[in-house]
């Protein structure tokens, strides 16, 4: 729990950006967190909570205290014939938790296999992939409030989950530290294979009988074939969200670009594939210095080695401007800029 000075954050973010934290400490319980914040008299404005660092872009040295959440533990807290409730420490790794569930035949998170990062950020971002989001398996969470130093319980409704959104990114931004999350998993699986290339991949794998193990493996195979491994090339997954437009705007884009990729939302608007928009603007495979746009997935901005956070940010700005000019669609960054 020692507070260290001037620590490089390069190995703590998957973009591999080399900036310094003025102060850095690790905590592994709510008590340690409280002690760190009170003895150092820290306000939320000068504190950054870090999980796996897989959804942040550090654009400058951090002039405050970076606190790495290492709260561990996986605890079964409730079980009946249909489901189990399992409480997980915010510092546990997400994919290891998914594998733990699959080993125990607990269904619900198999489509979310291989997403980097830790448990604590999963509700923050309402992480999602292949037709499933955290909100589908979320039961509750406990979070520490910086202002009154108390721990609060949040239920599904309290979190106000949306597409890569939650109350923690909006009205409670920088006000809570998520300590643990309770997920409700199913004993009888409801297989979800309709999204993207899952069925095609299952066929390729020669799967005769569907299982959560097979779905997890199919998702892992698809993801590995197109998303760069941050251990090899720095990145934070999709840099932008997929933007939604009105049906009219979609139709007018489609008139000019018949191949536009879009999916209907429940409210009638259309979600466009940002990767497609970016590719159409000619960015796929582009590289300037060590900042680039991935050759297999244009939505992923990459650091080939020594890019600065500002190089990545400036490239994202150029991409955003060109999509605006060509399609009159404004992209929103998914990655948290710090
Ligand atoms: P961090 O990057 O450490 O933090 C993200 C934000 O949450 C920061 O603002 C941080 O301050 C805050 N935060 C973190 N922990 C806490 C806490 N305990 N309490 C309060 N605030 C906290 N995401 C998807 O949704 N779907 C995908 O398919 C997907 N694929 C990806 C693929 C790759 C190759 C990569 C690199 C990333 C991908 N992501 C994806 C993004 C990323 O994995 C998720 O957003 C993940 O949940 C981030 O977790 P983390 O622990 O690394 O968060
Ligand atoms: N596409 C292109 N060119 C590209 C990339 C994509 O034309 O370079 C088109 C393709 O037609 C493809 C479609 O876009 O069919 C969708 O692409 P993909 O299936 O790769 O998914 P995505 O929309 O780019 C989203 C999430 C991912 C998540 C996948 C799978 C967002 C912002 N991204 O990507 O999440 O893993 O779906 O569900 O919603 C993340 O959040 O970091 C992330 C990786």
């Amino acid at each position: 729990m020692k507070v260290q000075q001037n620590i490089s954050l390069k190995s703590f973010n998957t973009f591999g950006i080399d900036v310094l934290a003025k102060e850095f400490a690790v905590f592994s319980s709510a008590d340690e967190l409280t002690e760190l914040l009170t003895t150092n008299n820290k306000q939320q404005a000068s504190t950054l909570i870090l999980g796996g660092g897989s959804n942040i872009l550090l654009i400058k040295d951090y002039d405050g205290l970076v606190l790495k959440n290492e709260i561990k533990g996986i605890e079964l807290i409730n079980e009946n014939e249909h489901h189990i409730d399992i409480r997980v420490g915010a510092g546990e790794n997400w994919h290891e938790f998914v594998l733990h569930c699959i080993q125990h035949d607990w269904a619900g998170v198999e489509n979310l296999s291989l997403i980097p990062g830790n448990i604590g950020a999963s509700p923050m971002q309402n992480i999602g992939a292949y037709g499933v989001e955290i909100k589908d398996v979320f039961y509750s969470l406990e979070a520490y409030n910086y202002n009154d130093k108390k721990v609060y319980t949040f239920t599904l409704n309290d979190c106000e989950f949306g597409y890569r959104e939650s109350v923690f990114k909006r009205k409670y931004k920088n006000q809570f530290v998520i300590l643990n999350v309770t997920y409700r998993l199913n004993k009888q699986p409801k297989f979800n294979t309709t999204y993207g290339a899952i069925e095609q991949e299952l066929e390729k794998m020669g799967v005769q009988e569907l299982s959560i193990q097979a779905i997890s493996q199919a998702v892992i195979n698809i993801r590995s074939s197109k998303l760069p491994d941050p251990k090899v090339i720095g990145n934070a997954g999709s840099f932008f969200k997929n933007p939604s437009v009105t049906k009219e705007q979609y139709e007018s884009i489609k008139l000019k670009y018949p191949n536009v990729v879009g999916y209907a939302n429940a409210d009638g608007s259309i979600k466009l594939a940002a990767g497609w928009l970016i590719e159409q603007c000619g960015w796929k495979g582009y590289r300037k210095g060590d900042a680039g746009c991935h050759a297999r997935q244009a939505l992923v901005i990459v650091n080939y080695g020594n890019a600065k956070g500002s190089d990545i940010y400036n490239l994202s700005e150029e991409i955003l401007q060109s999509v605006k000019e060509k399609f009159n669609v404004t992209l929103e960054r998914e990655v948290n800029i710090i």
Side-chain angles (χ1 to χ4, degrees), residues 18-29:
D18 196 5
V19 295
L20 293 180
K22 190 175 171 193
E23 295 176 308
F24 181 91
V26 170
F27 65 97
S28 42
S29 68

Side-chain angles (χ1 to χ4, degrees), residues 9 25 63 99 113 129 160 276 332:
L9 294 177
D63 187 26
L99 295 179
S113 296
E160 298 176 16
W276 184 88
E332 188 190 338

